[in-house]
């Protein structure tokens, strides 16, 4: 008998029939003798619908009221699921985030969990009840409702699993696990039976949308065994763990991530003197624009070209800032390009293998794909290429690193 935290995403509870399906599934786990805590998202599309209404009323809705509004989506699903379980003779009780005292800071719409009170949950489990908790929400010091950022139900589930020292945190979704890459791009993409937290964190930061980034950080920090599985099909899913395979079995690359959401900006002919990078990026930061990759190199004429990427939504305001900076610094020109994408190979196996970068670059070269920017970390190599080569690049790399081959375990 185990203590399991299960999280069901928006599609899994997308209508009444699916909520009944989830109830049936949860009941099955109870019958096997497990203690179950269920975290649910709002029905799919509901959070967007609520945000849409707010935006019709105000261009800048008060963040506190935004949280009061969007937290209602999850309140609907917890109640319906509790009813569906009760209807099946399975005792259950629902709680909002505030009721279960998921204590957060006061950063509305992107609050962070600070503490979880597990007293109620333990009492319910002891009494044989399934505990159902609204994902994505908590309460601050002053009893204000807060939310944890889009996709935050994953983080709720992991936080509860950490607080309760659950045996496993299971994230049920509409895919049956984490894949070597997006199967819509590469048909031969394969489900991974295991992936490390570090790799999953890179994949999530690089554009894989399976788990909220913060939930992976949290699970890694508290060592919560996390599993991604399908609500609709039985199967083992993908286990996210701290454990690495031994180096014989560890593949060099575990997955390929990509991202079409970035744009590139370049300042041409900036004087090569101390303080220039700070002068360029400080006003970008002041506008709350996040910078991802940065490339700078000194030319023979004592000037440098300074290139960086930002989210595509920010490209116009970043460009505006740069026009001002360019005049101040006496730069030659400012360029912007939104027709780019970032393709990354990720794998802890890279640490013990030389030559991954050259294999990646040779593969792209063989397809005639020009690399515009490169950045690396210990377990990842990212390149920026022309957007039109995205599919080709991902397919070629998937093949070059032999990712379709069977899992080692
Ligand atoms: N309902 C919230 C969202 O759509 C939280 C979640 O689904 O995890 O972002
Ligand atoms: Mg989600």
């Amino acid at each position: 008998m185990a203590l399991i935290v299960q999280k069901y995403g928006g599609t899994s509870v997308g209508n009444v029939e699916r909520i009944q399906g989830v109830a049936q599934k949860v009941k099955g786990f109870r019958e096997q003798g497990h203690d179950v805590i269920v975290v649910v998202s709002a029905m799919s599309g509901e959070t967007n619908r609520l945000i849409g209404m707010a935006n019709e009323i105000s261009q800048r809705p008060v963040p506190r009221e935004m949280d009061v509004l969007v937290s209602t989506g999850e309140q609907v699903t917890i109640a319906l699921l509790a009813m569906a379980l009760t209807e099946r003779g399975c005792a259950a009780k629902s709680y909002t985030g505030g009721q279960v005292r998921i204590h957060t800071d006061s950063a509305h719409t992107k609050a962070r969990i600070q503490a979880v009170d597990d007293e109620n949950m333990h009492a319910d489990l002891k009494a044989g009840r399934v505990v159902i908790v609204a994902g994505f929400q908590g309460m601050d010091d002053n009893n204000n409702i807060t939310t944890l950022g889009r996709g935050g139900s994953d983080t709720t589930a992991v936080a509860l699993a950490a607080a309760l020292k659950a045996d496993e945190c299971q994230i049920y979704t509409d895919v049956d696990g984490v894949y070597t890459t997006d199967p819509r791009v590469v048909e031969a993409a394969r489900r991974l039976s295991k992936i490390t937290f570090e790799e999953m964190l890179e994949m999530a930061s690089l554009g894989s949308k399976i788990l909220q980034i913060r939930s992976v950080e949290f699970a890694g920090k508290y060592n919560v065994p996390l599993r991604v599985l399908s609500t609709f099909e039985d199967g083992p899913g993908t286990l996210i763990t701290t454990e690495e395979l031994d180096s014989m079995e560890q593949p060099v690359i575990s997955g390929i991530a990509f991202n079409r959401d970035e744009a590139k900006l370049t300042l041409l002919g900036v004087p090569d003197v101390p303080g220039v990078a700070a002068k360029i990026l400080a006003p970008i930061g002041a506008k709350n624009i996040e910078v991802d990759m940065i490339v700078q190199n000194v030319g023979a004429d004592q000037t440098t070209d300074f290139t960086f990427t930002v989210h595509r939504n920010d490209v116009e305001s970043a460009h505006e800032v740069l026009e001002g900076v360019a005049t101040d610094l006496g730069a030659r020109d400012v360029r912007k390009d939104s027709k780019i994408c970032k393709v990354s190979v990720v794998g802890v196996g890279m640490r013990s293998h030389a030559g991954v970068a050259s294999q990646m670059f040779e593969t792209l070269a063989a397809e005639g794909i020009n690399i515009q920017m490169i950045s690396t970390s210990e377990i990842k190599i990212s390149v920026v290429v022309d957007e039109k080569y995205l599919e080709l690049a991902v397919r070629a790399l998937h093949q070059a690193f032999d990712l379709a081959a069977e899992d080692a375990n």
Side-chain angles (χ1 to χ4, degrees), residues 104-361:
T104 72
D105 61 19
S106 301
H108 284 291
T109 75
K110 46 178 185 295
R112 283 182 176 262
I113 297 179
Q114 291 176 329
V116 174
D117 182 352
D118 55 8
E119 210 178 299
N120 280 339
M121 292 187 281
H122 275 306
D124 282 317
L125 291 176
K126 225 174 146 198
R129 282 189 283 266
V130 172
V131 178
I132 305 169
V133 180
F136 176 56
Q137 55 181 262
M139 199 165 258
D140 75 0
D141 272 343
N142 299 314
N143 295 341
N144 293 302
I145 298 174
T146 55
T147 64
L148 309 177
R150 297 307 305 269
S153 299
D154 295 340
T155 301
T156 305
V158 172
L160 294 185
L164 293 158
K165 301 194 174 54
D167 295 292
E168 195 165 280
C169 180
Q170 304 176 335
I171 308 286
Y172 286 92
T173 177
D174 47 2
V175 292
D176 68 345
V178 179
Y179 276 66
T180 49
T181 194
D182 188 336
R184 283 168 298 189
V185 171
V186 183
E187 217 180 295
R190 182 177 46 81
R191 182 180 54 79
L192 295 157
S193 54
K194 271 188 185 179
I195 185 169
T196 66
F197 284 114
E198 272 180 292
E199 289 170 322
M200 193 63 221
L201 202 53
E202 287 283 8
M203 300 280 272
S205 326
L206 292 166
S208 154
K209 297 204 170 64
I210 297 184
L211 290 171
Q212 197 202 31
I213 295 174
R214 211 184 275 172
S215 73
V216 184
E217 280 167 4
F218 212 105
K221 187 163 160 201
Y222 293 97
N223 214 344
V224 176
L226 192 60
R227 194 182 286 277
V228 174
L229 344 82
S230 162
T231 308
F232 309 108
E233 282 166 49
D234 288 334
T238 300
L239 181 67
I240 302 158
T241 93
T242 44
E243 217 180 293
E244 289 180 28
L245 300 171
D246 65 44
S247 58
M248 287 294 285
E249 287 181 334
Q250 184 68 52
V252 183
I253 297 301
S254 297
I256 299 171
F258 53 83
N259 180 338
R260 304 173 212 251
D261 298 337
E262 291 192 21
K264 186 178 79 168
L265 293 135
T266 303
L267 262 180
L268 291 167
V270 193
D272 178 32
V273 292
V276 165
K279 279 192 186 124
I280 297 171
L281 294 181
I284 297 282
K287 283 240 160 181
N288 260 325
I289 299 172
E290 256 180 70
V291 172
D292 180 26
M293 289 163 92
I294 303 173
V295 168
Q296 188 218 245
N297 205 352
V298 186
D301 61 350
Q302 300 309 306
T303 71
T304 125
D305 295 345
F306 192 95
T307 304
F308 60 95
T309 62
V310 298
H311 195 280
R312 256 185 220 187
N313 295 343
D314 291 329
V315 69
E316 292 310 328
S317 43
H319 189 245
E320 213 172 280
V321 172
L322 283 193
E323 303 256 70
V325 174
T327 322
D328 293 349
L329 291 177
R332 205 165 60 237
D333 200 4
V334 184
R335 303 241 166 101
K336 63 174 180 201
D337 183 359
S338 287
K339 291 195 162 48
I340 57 153
C341 65
K342 184 165 80 172
V343 177
S344 314
V345 297
V346 176
V348 290
M350 243 182 249
R351 286 197 188 113
S352 46
H353 278 86
V356 179
S358 57
Q359 192 180 350
M360 180 181 193
F361 303 155

